[in-house]
């Protein structure tokens, strides 16, 4: 079986959550060509999904070396670094993704999440607002904006963000929970 067929079969199994089969097929493709970008990138994705963050980090780092202008690889590297507690490196990865693709709403949202975690609330708000400006129906960014506003005691604005997230995605349980918490803080429960 040639490398492209092996990769296609890996993707097929990955989509079906047959992670072990997919992982073995990605690795088989990489035996044929250790720099096969798609196999490196998607194996990194699979390893991140299965919480093998140290291995995913190595693969996403290699992916960014092979294709330095692929914003999604930098964003995913940032996600893995964040999971590993390497916050400053995660910020650098998100910023690199945004530098490559300024309208990458997910990278702006992810940057906001790490900035919020570090207590840099105003920068987090700016990141969430940029994500929303790029993608107005991005429910997660609205919810995240609401969370940081709530942390700052701006409950009315937070409620508006949660309500917007719910309007966009009516089954967004976290946004309902956050809205309930904001209402409680305002004594409107």
């Amino acid at each position: 079986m040639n490398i492209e067929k092996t990769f296609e079969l890996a993707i097929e199994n990955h989509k079906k959550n047959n992670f072990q089969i997919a992982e073995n097929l990605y690795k088989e493709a990489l035996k044929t060509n250790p720099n096969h970008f798609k196999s490196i990138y998607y194996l990194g994705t699979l390893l991140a999904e299965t919480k093998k963050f140290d291995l995913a980090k190595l693969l996403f780092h290699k992916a960014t070396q092979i294709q330095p202008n692929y914003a999604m690889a930098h964003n995913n590297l940032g996600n893995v670094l964040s999971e590993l507690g390497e916050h400053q490196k995660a910020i650098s990865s998100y910023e690199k993704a945004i530098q490559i693709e300024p309208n990458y709403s997910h990278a702006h949202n992810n940057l906001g999440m790490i900035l919020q975690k570090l207590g840099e609330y105003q920068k987090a708000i700016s990141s969430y607002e940029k994500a929303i400006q790029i993608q107005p129906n991005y429910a997660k960014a609205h919810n995240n904006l609401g969370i940081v506003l709530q942390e700052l005691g701006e409950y009315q604005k937070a409620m508006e963000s949660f309500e917007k997230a719910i309007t966009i995605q009516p089954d967004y349980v976290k946004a309902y929970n956050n809205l309930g918490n904001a209402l409680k803080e305002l004594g409107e429960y």
Side-chain angles (χ1 to χ4, degrees), residues 60-115:
F60 286 131
H61 183 68
K62 186 171 182 177
T64 62
Q65 291 177 322
I66 294 170
Q67 286 196 20
N69 291 322
Y70 191 60
M72 286 178 67
H74 289 281
N75 182 65
N76 288 350
L77 176 58
N79 291 341
V80 167
L81 291 166
S82 177
E83 289 288 343
L84 292 169
E86 298 180 36
H87 302 307
Q88 293 305 320
K89 289 179 181 177
I91 288 170
S92 295
S93 291
Y94 295 137
E95 288 174 341
K96 182 66 177 175
I98 292 165
Q99 178 189 344
I100 294 164
E101 196 175 317
N103 289 328
Y104 192 1
S105 60
H106 292 284
H108 284 283
N109 182 66
N110 292 338
L111 177 59
M113 289 171 60
I114 197 106
L115 291 168

Side-chain angles (χ1 to χ4, degrees), residues 112 115-128 145 147-149 151-152:
L115 291 168
Q116 182 177 346
K117 193 180 287 185
L118 296 174
E120 296 184 39
Y121 298 126
Q122 294 308 317
K123 289 181 181 178
I125 288 170
S126 295
S127 292
Y128 294 140
L145 176 59
I147 292 169
V148 76
L149 291 169
E151 287 179 14
L152 293 171

Side-chain angles (χ1 to χ4, degrees), residues 3-189:
I3 193 167
E4 286 306 317
K5 288 278 188 205
T6 304
F7 175 75
E8 287 172 23
L9 196 54
I11 288 288
E12 207 174 285
N13 279 281
H14 192 163
K15 286 179 182 175
K16 293 177 182 173
N17 294 333
N18 296 329
F19 294 129
Q20 193 57 56
I21 295 169
E23 182 176 343
N24 291 339
L25 288 165
Y26 289 132
K27 287 178 178 177
E28 189 178 317
L30 290 170
K31 283 180 189 171
T32 306
N33 177 0
N35 291 319
H36 187 255
F37 176 79
K38 292 187 287 186
S39 293
I40 293 167
Y41 178 79
Y42 284 101
L43 179 56
T45 302
L46 182 148
L47 293 171
E49 287 176 72
T50 56
K51 312 282 188 224
K52 297 174 186 170
F53 299 118
D54 285 319
L55 294 172
K57 172 185 163 182
L58 295 173
L59 288 163
F60 286 131
H61 183 68
K62 186 171 182 177
T64 62
Q65 291 177 322
I66 294 170
Q67 286 196 20
N69 291 322
Y70 191 60
M72 286 178 67
H74 289 281
N75 182 65
N76 288 350
L77 176 58
N79 291 341
V80 167
L81 291 166
S82 177
E83 289 288 343
L84 292 169
E86 298 180 36
H87 302 307
Q88 293 305 320
K89 289 179 181 177
I91 288 170
S92 295
S93 291
Y94 295 137
E95 288 174 341
K96 182 66 177 175
I98 292 165
Q99 178 189 344
I100 294 164
E101 196 175 317
N103 289 328
Y104 192 1
S105 60
H106 292 284
H108 284 283
N109 182 66
N110 292 338
L111 177 59
M113 289 171 60
I114 197 106
L115 291 168
Q116 182 177 346
K117 193 180 287 185
L118 296 174
E120 296 184 39
Y121 298 126
Q122 294 308 317
K123 289 181 181 178
I125 288 170
S126 295
S127 292
Y128 294 140
E129 288 175 342
K130 183 66 177 175
I132 291 165
Q133 177 190 344
I134 295 164
Q135 188 179 343
N137 287 330
Y138 191 1
K140 188 173 182 180
H142 284 283
N143 184 63
N144 289 340
L145 176 59
I147 292 169
V148 76
L149 291 169
Q150 186 169 332
E151 287 179 14
L152 293 171
E154 297 183 36
Y155 300 111
Q156 195 61 47
K157 288 181 181 177
M159 284 175 38
E160 291 168 14
S161 290
F162 299 139
E163 288 169 348
K164 181 68 176 172
I166 291 165
T167 300
I168 295 164
Q169 188 179 332
D171 63 346
Y172 197 173
V173 175
K174 287 181 182 178
Y176 278 104
N177 184 58
N178 292 332
L179 177 59
N181 289 335
L183 286 166
K184 183 178 177 186
E185 291 294 333
L186 286 172
E188 296 181 20
Y189 54 96

